[in-house]
Amino acid sequence: MSRSILAAVALTSLAAVTGCASAEEAEPETKNFSFAGQTLDVRAHGMPTDLVATDRKDVKVTRWFDVRAGAKPHSSWELKDATLDLKAGCERFANCDVRFRVEVPKSVKVLRDGRATRLKGTNEAASAPLRGVRDFGA
């Protein structure tokens, strides 16, 4: 057999053993950011991100990040000035999946990548990803 066929068989076997990553199966991680501004620009780099207006005074970010064997993950979430920068992904076999939920005070105007966007949902079910509601960008 050629090396390319052997490599394809090995990758298929690895995928079958480890399964596909799923953010819906990941344990949630949260981080709160103090925010006193009037406008927040969320930079999610094309990742699924639910933006939700709540009665809170800070910004709460919940991340579901599932990484399977063989993937080299990288992730960061940072609020600097009025920009919330959310990043996550993986290298090598790229077997990872991520989802974010950003809860903001109702009084804050939210931008997505510098453009106005609508907020979705409510503060209900904040402990799990919203099923069926996917906001991939403006």
Side-chain angles (χ1 to χ4, degrees), residues 41-72:
D41 188 8
V42 178
R43 306 271 175 169
H45 307 279
M47 292 176 287
T49 303
D50 296 312
L51 304 174
V52 182
T54 65
D55 290 325
R56 56 185 322 111
K57 294 180 181 178
D58 60 352
V59 173
K60 179 181 178 182
V61 179
T62 304
R63 173 179 63 195
W64 293 267
F65 191 28
D66 188 27
V67 179
R68 297 297 167 115
K72 181 179 177 186

Side-chain angles (χ1 to χ4, degrees), residues 1 20 94 137-138:
M1 274 190 208
C20 293

Side-chain angles (χ1 to χ4, degrees), residues 19-98:
C20 293
S22 172
E24 290 186 5
E25 296 175 10
E27 288 295 318
E29 303 170 79
T30 61
K31 192 171 185 179
N32 293 11
F33 298 94
S34 296
F35 186 71
Q38 296 178 345
T39 302
L40 177 66
D41 188 8
V42 178
R43 306 271 175 169
H45 307 279
M47 292 176 287
T49 303
D50 296 312
L51 304 174
V52 182
T54 65
D55 290 325
R56 56 185 322 111
K57 294 180 181 178
D58 60 352
V59 173
K60 179 181 178 182
V61 179
T62 304
R63 173 179 63 195
W64 293 267
F65 191 28
D66 188 27
V67 179
R68 297 297 167 115
K72 181 179 177 186
H74 54 86
S75 178
S76 66
W77 39 6
E78 177 182 50
L79 178 62
K80 186 173 181 184
D81 299 323
T83 301
L84 177 62
D85 195 24
L86 307 173
K87 295 180 182 175
C90 58
E91 299 169 13
R92 294 190 184 149
F93 294 113
N95 192 2
C96 63
D97 189 30
V98 67

Side-chain angles (χ1 to χ4, degrees), residues 8 17-18 30 54 66 69 89 104 106 109 114 118 125 131:
V17 170
T18 61
T30 61
T54 65
D66 188 27
V104 299
K106 289 179 181 178
K109 178 182 177 182
R118 289 185 15 225
R131 296 188 192 332

